[in-house]
C-alpha cells in the first residue's frame, strides 16, 4: 500500500483519544484507519469495542483496547435486520460504555484523555459523554452526500416520500436532485419507524458533537460538504480517503483469501470483473442463480466474493448450473473474502460489480476502477446514484436478470461508454491522490482536525 508523506509517525504528545466503532465491518475499517491516522499525528489511542465483532488487537500493538459487553444474544447478532441491531446496540451499550468511560477517566496512570470519537450511528454516546463532561466528536463512515440526505428525513417524511411506497419509486425527489424515491437511503426493516429514529438520532447526535470527521475529500463531494457546514453548524473534517494512508486489511474480521491475487496474476490486463457485495448484503437463491448465469454468459473472467451467509444455500456449488461450473474452471474464481484493496489495485481488474457501500465505492474510485452498481440498502442507493449520474464513473444494473447482467458487462467492456467511464474515474483517482499530498485539501483538513482536538475549548475540560 502506497504510504503518503503525511504518514510518518510523529512523536507522542502525551494526549489520549478514545475511539468507539460501530461493530460492523464497513464501520470498523474506517474507525481503525482513523485511529492509525491520529496515532501517526502523535496521539495515544484507546479503542473501546464490543465483544460482538471485536477488532483483532494483535494487529495494533501500539493501541490500548477495552471491551464492553453489549449483551446481544446469538440470535440478535445474526439478525439480517441491521436497523434493529443498531437500535439494540444503542440501548444495550449505554451502561457498560458509561462504566468503561468512568474507569478510563479516573485512571491517572494514563495520559489525559482529550476527546471521544464515536461512530455517528452510536448516538447514545452523546448523552454519556455529556454526563461525564467528555468532549465528543463523531466519525461518519458514509459519504457527505448521504449524510446530507439523512439529515432531510423529517422533511422527506413531511412531504410523504417516507415511508417509501412501491408506487412512487421512479418519481423524482424534487428537493434532492438527481435522486429518485428509489435512491433514498432506506432499508427493509421490521419497523420503518426504527430506521427513521436511528437516522434522526444519528443526525441530532452529530449536530450536537464538537465536529464530524468524514472519509471523503473536497473534490469528490464539495457541494454536499458546503451544505453540511452550513446546516450542521459544527466543524466538518473531510480527511479521506483513509485507506490510502492505512489499508483495511488489518481490521478485516474475515480471513482474506490471498489466492485471489495469484489467480489475478494469471489473467490478461484489464479483463477481470470483480464482484463483491460487501459484508452485510445478501441475495436470495433465484438472484444468486441470475448472477451465476449472467457471469457464465458474459464470457469475461470474473472474481466473485461469496461470503458465508450471503446466500441462503451453503451447498451452492453442487447446485450451480453446469455452464457456470465450466466457466469457473476456465475463467472464474470464487473466494469467501478477498483482499479487496489489493484486488482493485491489480492491473487485471477492469470493473467492480458492487453494492456501493461507501468504503467499496471510495476504494474503487481510488484505484480508477469503473463500477457496475447494484445498491441493496441505505446509503448504498445514494452512492450508486452519484456514481452513475453525478460522477459518471459507473452504470446501474437496472434488473438483476441474466440478460441484463450480460448486456451491462459487455457494454462496459466493448463500447466507448466503458472508455468514458474509465477516463472520468482516472481523473477522480488523481484528485484522490492529490488531496492527501502536502497542501492538498485532506492533508490540510487533517492538520485542522489535530489543532481542533488540541484547542483550549476541547482540552480544558478533560485534562487532569
Ligand atoms: N472487503 C474486503 N473483502 C471482501 C469484501 C469487502 O476486505 O471480500 C472490505 C472492503 O474493502 C471494505 C469493507 O470490507 O473496506 C466493506 O465496506 P463497505 O462500506 O463497502 O460495505 P459494507 O460491508 O459496510 O456493506
Amino acid at each position: 500500500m502506497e504510504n503518503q508523506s503525511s504518514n510518518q509517525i510523529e512523536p507522542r504528545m502525551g494526549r489520549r483519544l478514545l475511539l468507539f466503532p460501530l461493530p460492523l465491518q464497513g464501520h470498523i475499517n474506517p474507525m481503525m484507519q482513523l485511529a492509525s491516522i491520529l496515532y501517526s499525528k502523535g496521539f495515544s489511542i484507546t479503542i473501546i469495542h464490543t465483544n460482538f465483532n471485536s477488532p483483532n488487537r494483535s494487529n495494533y500493538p501500539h493501541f490500548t483496547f477495552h471491551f464492553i459487553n453489549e449483551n446481544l444474544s446469538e440470535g440478535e447478532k445474526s439478525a439480517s435486520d441491521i436497523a434493529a441491531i443498531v437500535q439494540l446496540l444503542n440501548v444495550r451499550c449505554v451502561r457498560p460504555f458509561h462504566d468503561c468511560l468512568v474507569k478510563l477517566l479516573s485512571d491517572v496512570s494514563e495520559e489525559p484523555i482529550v476527546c471521544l470519537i464515536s461512530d455517528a450511528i452510536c448516538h447514545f454516546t452523546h448523552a454519556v459523554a455529556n454526563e461525564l463532561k467528555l468532549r465528543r466528536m463523531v466519525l461518519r463512515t458514509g459519504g457527505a452526500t448521504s449524510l446530507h440526505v439523512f439529515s432531510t428525513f423529517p422533511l422527506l417524511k413531511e412531504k410523504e416520500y417516507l415511508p417509501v411506497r412501491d408506487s412512487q419509486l421512479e418519481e423524482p425527489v424534487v428537493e434532492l436532485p438527481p435522486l429518485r424515491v428509489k435512491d433514498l437511503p432506506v432499508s427493509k426493516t421490521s419497523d420503518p419507524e426504527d430506521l427513521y429514529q436511528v437516522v434522526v438520532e444519528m443526525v441530532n447526535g452529530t449536530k450536537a458533537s464538537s465536529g464530524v470527521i468524514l472519509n471523503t475529500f473536497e473534490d469528490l463531494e464539495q457541494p454536499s460538504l458546503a451544505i453540511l457546514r452550513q446546516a450542521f453548524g459544527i466543524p466538518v473534517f473531510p480527511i479521506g480517503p483513509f485507506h490510502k494512508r492505512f489499508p483495511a486489511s488489518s481490521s478485516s474480521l474475515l480471513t482474506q483469501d490471498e489466492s485471489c491475487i495469484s489467480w489475478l496474476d494469471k489473467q490478461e490486463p484489464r479483463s477481470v470483473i470483480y464482484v463483491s457485495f460487501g459484508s452485510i448484503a445478501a441475495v436470495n437463491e433465484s438472484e444468486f442463480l441470475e448472477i451465476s448465469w449472467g457471469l457464465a454468459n458474459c464470457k469475461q473472467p470474473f472474481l466473485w466474493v461469496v461470503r458465508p451467509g450471503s446466500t441462503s444455500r451453503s451447498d451452492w456449488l453442487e447446485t450451480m448450473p453446469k455452464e457456470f461450473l465450466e466457466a469457473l474452471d476456465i475463467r472464474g474464481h470464487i473466494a469467501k473474502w478477498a483482499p479487496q484493496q489489493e484486488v482493485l489495485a491489480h492491473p487485471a481488474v477492469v470493473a467492480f460489480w458492487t453494492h456501493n457501500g461507501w468504503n467499496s465505492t471510495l476504494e474503487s474510485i481510488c484505484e480508477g476502477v469503473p463500477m457496475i452498481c447494484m445498491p441493496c440498502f441505505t446509503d448504498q442507493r445514494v452512492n450508486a446514484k452519484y456514481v452513475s449520474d453525478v460522477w459518471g464513473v459507473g452504470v446501474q444494473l437496472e434488473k438483476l436478470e441474466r440478460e441484463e447482467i450480460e448486456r451491462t458487462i459487455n457494454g462496459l467492456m466493448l463500447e466507448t461508454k466503458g472508455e468514458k467511464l474509465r477516463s472520468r474515474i482516472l481523473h477522480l483517482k488523481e484528485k484522490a491522490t492529490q488531496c492527501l499530498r502536502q497542501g492538498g485539501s485532506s492533508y490540510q483538513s487533517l492538520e485542522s482536525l489535530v489543532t481542533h482536538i488540541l484547542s483550549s475549548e476541547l482540552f480544558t475540560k478533560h485534562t487532569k
Side-chain angles (χ1 to χ4, degrees):
M1 188 58 49
E2 181 192 355
N3 274 359
Q4 306 292 328
S5 55
S6 57
N7 231 15
Q8 284 147 8
I9 305 294
E10 295 180 12
R12 302 300 83 207
M13 58 169 90
R15 302 286 178 260
R16 183 164 289 275
L17 300 173
L18 306 180
L19 275 68
F20 182 58
L22 179 76
L24 299 174
Q25 184 73 77
H27 292 250
I28 293 171
N29 284 356
M31 187 62 93
M32 297 309 288
Q33 289 159 349
L34 176 65
S36 297
I37 292 169
L38 292 171
Y39 180 83
S40 78
K41 299 306 284 181
F43 291 102
S44 303
I45 301 291
T46 293
I47 306 287
I48 305 174
H49 64 87
T50 53
N51 271 340
F52 170 44
N53 282 346
S54 53
N56 186 348
R57 294 179 176 208
S58 60
N59 289 337
Y60 304 94
H62 43 305
F63 296 170
T64 306
F65 287 84
H66 289 270
F67 78 84
I68 60 170
N69 192 349
E70 74 291 331
N71 291 315
L72 292 188
S73 69
E74 286 311 312
E76 287 167 338
K77 286 178 203 168
S78 58
S80 58
D81 188 339
I82 292 298
I85 295 184
V86 164
Q87 275 286 49
L88 276 179
L89 283 168
N90 269 293
V91 175
R92 305 265 176 89
C93 287
V94 176
R95 186 44 49 193
F97 185 77
H98 172 276
D99 294 349
C100 180
L101 283 196
V102 168
K103 206 166 120 217
L104 290 174
L105 288 168
S106 61
D107 182 357
V108 284
S109 66
E110 294 270 24
E111 305 96 327
I113 294 166
V114 286
C115 188
L116 164 71
I117 302 177
S118 155
D119 191 297
I121 291 184
C122 302
H123 53 76
F124 78 90
T125 57
H126 169 59
V128 177
N130 242 7
E131 184 196 325
L132 299 175
K133 299 203 170 13
L134 175 61
R135 196 55 67 128
R136 168 181 171 270
M137 294 185 74
V138 300
L139 167 66
R140 172 60 198 152
T141 58
T145 307
S146 61
L147 180 55
H148 166 230
V149 177
F150 281 129
S151 73
T152 65
F153 262 36
L155 175 78
L156 295 173
K157 195 174 186 183
E158 187 193 311
K159 301 255 174 185
E160 298 184 351
Y161 294 109
L162 294 179
V164 166
R165 281 184 292 258
D166 284 350
S167 57
Q168 285 185 319
L169 291 178
E170 297 300 330
E171 285 175 22
V173 180
V174 284
E175 292 80 1
L176 295 169
L179 300 188
R180 303 155 297 178
V181 170
K182 71 182 192 189
D183 304 315
L184 290 176
V186 295
S187 69
K188 283 208 178 75
T189 166
S190 50
D191 182 358
E193 192 54 30
D194 264 7
L195 179 74
Y196 182 82
Q197 280 311 326
V198 168
V199 167
V200 167
E201 301 273 8
M202 172 186 81
V203 170
N204 290 344
T206 300
K207 286 180 177 169
S209 74
S210 292
V212 54
I213 303 164
L214 288 162
N215 187 10
T216 188
F217 55 100
E218 291 283 348
D219 277 332
L220 187 64
E221 294 196 281
Q222 210 287 322
S224 303
L225 285 164
I227 294 173
L228 288 183
R229 286 191 172 105
Q230 217 199 3
F232 278 48
I234 54 165
V236 177
F237 300 99
I239 62 167
F242 295 180
H243 73 278
K244 291 308 272 183
R245 299 183 203 256
F246 291 94
S249 49
S250 34
S251 50
S252 192
L253 297 168
L254 296 171
T255 307
Q256 299 184 324
D257 180 350
E258 292 298 330
S259 74
C260 296
I261 303 301
S262 45
W263 181 83
L264 284 172
D265 287 342
K266 294 189 208 108
Q267 308 305 315
E268 294 291 320
R270 291 208 348 207
S271 66
V272 175
I273 312 290
Y274 171 54
V275 187
S276 172
F277 309 125
S279 63
I280 301 169
V283 291
N284 64 31
E285 194 174 336
S286 75
E287 292 169 332
F288 190 75
L289 278 178
E290 291 307 307
I291 298 173
S292 311
W293 277 109
L295 290 173
N297 294 344
C298 78
K299 310 285 179 237
Q300 269 326 112
F302 60 88
L303 168 59
W304 184 10
V305 175
V306 183
R307 209 185 66 243
S310 65
T311 95
S312 46
R313 295 196 77 104
S314 52
D315 58 344
W316 54 269
L317 212 49
E318 288 88 70
T319 56
M320 279 289 97
K322 195 165 135 284
E323 287 77 357
F324 177 79
L325 291 176
E326 282 166 9
L328 202 56
D329 267 351
I330 308 163
R331 58 191 166 74
H333 188 75
I334 290 197
K336 288 187 173 150
W337 194 243
Q340 180 161 301
Q341 283 177 239
E342 276 178 79
V343 166
L344 288 168
H346 198 286
V349 171
V350 68
F352 182 12
W353 180 1
T354 170
H355 71 310
N356 286 112
W358 184 246
N359 296 292
S360 294
T361 303
L362 261 189
E363 287 160 10
S364 208
I365 288 173
C366 288
E367 300 310 332
V369 178
M371 286 164 261
I372 297 168
C373 306
M374 190 183 85
C376 301
F377 46 75
T378 59
D379 65 325
Q380 298 159 15
R381 299 175 185 205
V382 178
N383 304 339
K385 186 66 177 168
Y386 269 65
V387 164
S388 60
D389 287 32
V390 177
W391 304 318
V393 297
V395 289
Q396 297 239 18
L397 181 73
E398 295 299 343
K399 280 191 217 119
L400 187 45
E401 290 173 1
R402 61 193 78 177
E403 294 81 14
E404 183 66 12
I405 294 168
E406 195 181 340
R407 198 188 59 73
T408 307
I409 292 178
N410 289 342
L412 203 81
M413 290 306 302
L414 304 174
E415 291 161 20
T416 48
K417 185 168 187 184
E419 280 314 312
K420 283 202 183 124
L421 299 178
R422 246 179 297 284
S423 94
R424 280 195 290 257
I425 204 163
L426 286 173
H427 181 67
L428 273 187
K429 174 184 173 175
E430 180 54 28
K431 299 266 183 205
T433 309
Q434 278 169 7
C435 74
L436 294 174
R437 295 207 178 113
Q438 191 160 4
S441 64
S442 293
Y443 178 96
Q444 284 180 328
S445 190
L446 176 58
E447 296 298 305
S448 309
L449 171 63
V450 172
T451 310
H452 180 70
I453 295 174
L454 292 173
S455 67
S456 54
E457 187 212 359
L458 278 171
F459 194 51
T460 43
K461 284 192 178 168
H462 325 298
T463 42
K464 296 187 195 92

